[in-house]
Amino acid sequence: MIGRIAAWSIQHRWTAIGGWVALVLVAILCGALASGSDARSLDPGDSGLAQQVIAGQGLDPSRESVLVQPLSADGPGLRDDPAARAAVRDLVDRLRATPGIIDVESPLDRADRVSDDGNSGLVGFALGGPLAQYNAQAKASTAVVEQVAAANPGLRVVQAGDRSLTSTVDQAIKDDMLRSESMSLPITLVILLVVFGSLVAAGIPLLLAGTTVAATFGFLGLIGKVIPVNSATSVMILLIGMAVGIDYTLFYLRREREERAKGASVRDALIISARTSGHAVVVSGLTVMVCVAGLLFTDMDVFRGLTVGAVLVVGLAVLGSITVLPALLSVLGHRVDKGRVPWLGRRRTAAQESRFWSTVASAVVRRPLVWGLTGTVALVVLAVPALGMHLQDPATTDSLPRSVTQVDSAIRMQDAFPGTAAPTRVAIWMQDGSTADTPEVRADIDRLRLLAEADPRLGGPVSLAKVGDVLVARIPLAGKGTDPESMAALEHLRNDVLPQAFGDTVGVRTAVSGKPTAQAYDFAEQLTSRAPAVFLFVLVLALGLLALAFRSVAIPIVSVLLNLLSVGSAYGVVTWVFQGGHGEGLLGFTSYGGVVGWLPLFMFVMLFGLSMDYHIFILSRIRERWLSGADSRSAVVGGIRSSSGVVTSAAVIMTAVFAVFVTLSAIEYKMLGLGMAVAVLIDATVVRGVLLPAALALLGERAWWLPGRSRRGVAAASASQRSPQGRAQAIPTPSAR
């Protein structure tokens, strides 16, 4: 089937190339011309319910706080400093005079807005009006704060809150994405030049990967109107698209070069490459897509967009590799080796086999038990720290460096008024849809305020906003926002305080949301409950796909076990570094004592899919030799010798791309980058270079056993599938042994 598609693409090469270009252009136009607002993501659990209730009113109240405190700790505090009080008065007057700014609260009027030590004051306000005007209102409020700060050089006047912190995080993600692109592309190009030794050949993987990612982003612009796609998803799609696009092209182009080096014509080399490497690409792509689809079992909006985007980018990469890639290579012919790099070109364009990995594989198959046990013990030791992994999302102040102005402001605000920078939001509404702004509910809210301000696990100041028929109370929590102290305070608020405050009023309902505490809590609760289904789905489907691809019972089991070892070792390294705080100065982070909650599941799904690229490619080469009559150990050494060069090259590229993420600002991306880079590196060296040949050598002929099928039967079936319409067989059927 794949060979026939490649043959058609070669025969109609300009049609295939034109069709791909048209597809990419249509995708980009779809994204550019798509109108309407993007789909909004809802958090799971109680947080999502509160979001939905508030959003149903057509408004999303955004509240900001401004910290005012003398720069000198030795001088008079806010209560006793006339200049500080005058600055607060000026700030409050300016904010109240700014269009769209409502509910301005002053520390001169409310004692709960002055810190316990009397040194700091907190001015609170809300952005009013429709969402379309929020940006203008946010800019206006920021300008007022900056003007007051400039007029009072002896005071610290800094702002943090819903809008400012969210904007800071979004901007940091965008900056990180641009930085990753600007760093990863040149690094990838240099590595490709070293791998292929020619400018033309090095540009082809980037061309396929770049057009694939561009088309995916275009289609996501349209899909995003229905399914939420956030900025973090875009970073992941870029990462996945570049990885698989380059890998698939590497596998295909390397095989085509090998066949040409053996004397095959360009057309025959491409047909053979399609039937071998193309087949491996399709199986690998399907495995990646199936693994990523497992994220849908979480039933969370944040993973829906990621799943759709990842499946789309991988599917397009597979489509491009079996259609436009053969057409492009047939147009180029031998000119694909043009632009040779001095001292590298001739040796690289010859597609030589790897002597190093051949030597390693030969040593492993001679003593497979010793090598296998050594490699397994090493990976188990790396995985041990994962047993103490503590899942905890970072607060904004933990995620981004303190050099970011808003982060520093939030930290100072947290120190003076714990929980104020990112409080919980309690949505209060009537079950029958009537207004919640009634005397009875107001009395309950007064009781809630008294309970909160007298409770050390909660605190003040408590603010209230009316959003349509819904009331929204903001209650600070103890702790940093995502630590155990904050989570315990959230449970206390939901289970004890709110029922005590509103339990006597008929028809009133409450739900608690808010970043980061409630959102992180509900996210972790649902993720934990759904994770077993994701793991089971990925494992079962991976076993099934590998069994169909290699017609073996043992190969899928060995593959899954090896993947689990590499994933476990990556978990251990991430836990040791980020939770344990090792290498903080080197990697530029400050440990908060946990690992981000979504990372283990995401890494499992992605690594299980992406690592299959190498695994399937190597196994395909080994199986070819076994089917052609080689004994098991010779097939292992020969398959690794012929495939390890391109696998090493692909692994170096992917490791370099992931390593770029370690240099980004957000600690979540640092964790992701290190974990994925370590996993890919281990996977391409210890797992594929040592453990896989050791396992296959120990299994011998049993590795390829399938009930009711002999080697001759498997070889005959494989040869008939790869030789449609009487064409010469790419893999000869061996005689009986």
Side-chain angles (χ1 to χ4, degrees), residues 26-46:
V26 167
I28 294 173
L29 286 174
C30 283
L33 299 178
S35 59
S37 57
D38 291 337
R40 298 189 65 187
S41 174
L42 282 179
D43 295 329
D46 207 41

Side-chain angles (χ1 to χ4, degrees), residues 336-379:
V336 73
D337 297 328
K338 291 290 185 180
R340 288 180 177 176
V341 179
W343 303 292
L344 287 174
R346 182 168 298 179
R347 183 165 58 90
R348 294 300 186 189
T349 54
Q352 295 177 350
E353 297 179 336
S354 172
R355 294 180 182 178
F356 173 79
W357 286 112
S358 176
T359 303
V360 172
S362 298
V364 170
V365 298
R366 282 196 298 269
R367 304 185 68 184
L369 189 60
V370 173
W371 283 89
L373 285 175
T374 302
T376 301
V377 169
L379 295 189

Side-chain angles (χ1 to χ4, degrees), residues 236-317:
M236 303 303 177
I237 299 307
L238 173 66
L239 197 68
I240 297 167
M242 293 301 295
V244 298
I246 290 173
D247 277 4
Y248 296 164
T249 312
L250 278 172
F251 298 160
Y252 205 105
L253 187 53
R254 174 60 184 255
R255 185 57 182 258
E256 189 264 352
R257 277 184 164 182
E258 288 183 15
E259 298 302 328
R260 281 197 290 114
K262 295 176 184 178
S265 65
V266 172
R267 183 186 183 282
D268 290 343
L270 288 171
I271 295 296
I272 294 172
S273 299
R275 295 172 183 166
T276 52
S277 295
H279 178 265
V281 164
V282 172
V283 174
S284 172
L286 288 174
T287 306
V288 174
M289 288 188 280
V290 165
C291 289
V292 173
L295 290 174
L296 293 176
F297 283 90
T298 61
D299 193 28
M300 287 192 279
D301 282 355
V302 69
F303 284 136
R304 286 195 183 95
L306 176 59
T307 302
V308 171
V311 169
L312 186 58
V313 77
V314 174
L316 287 173

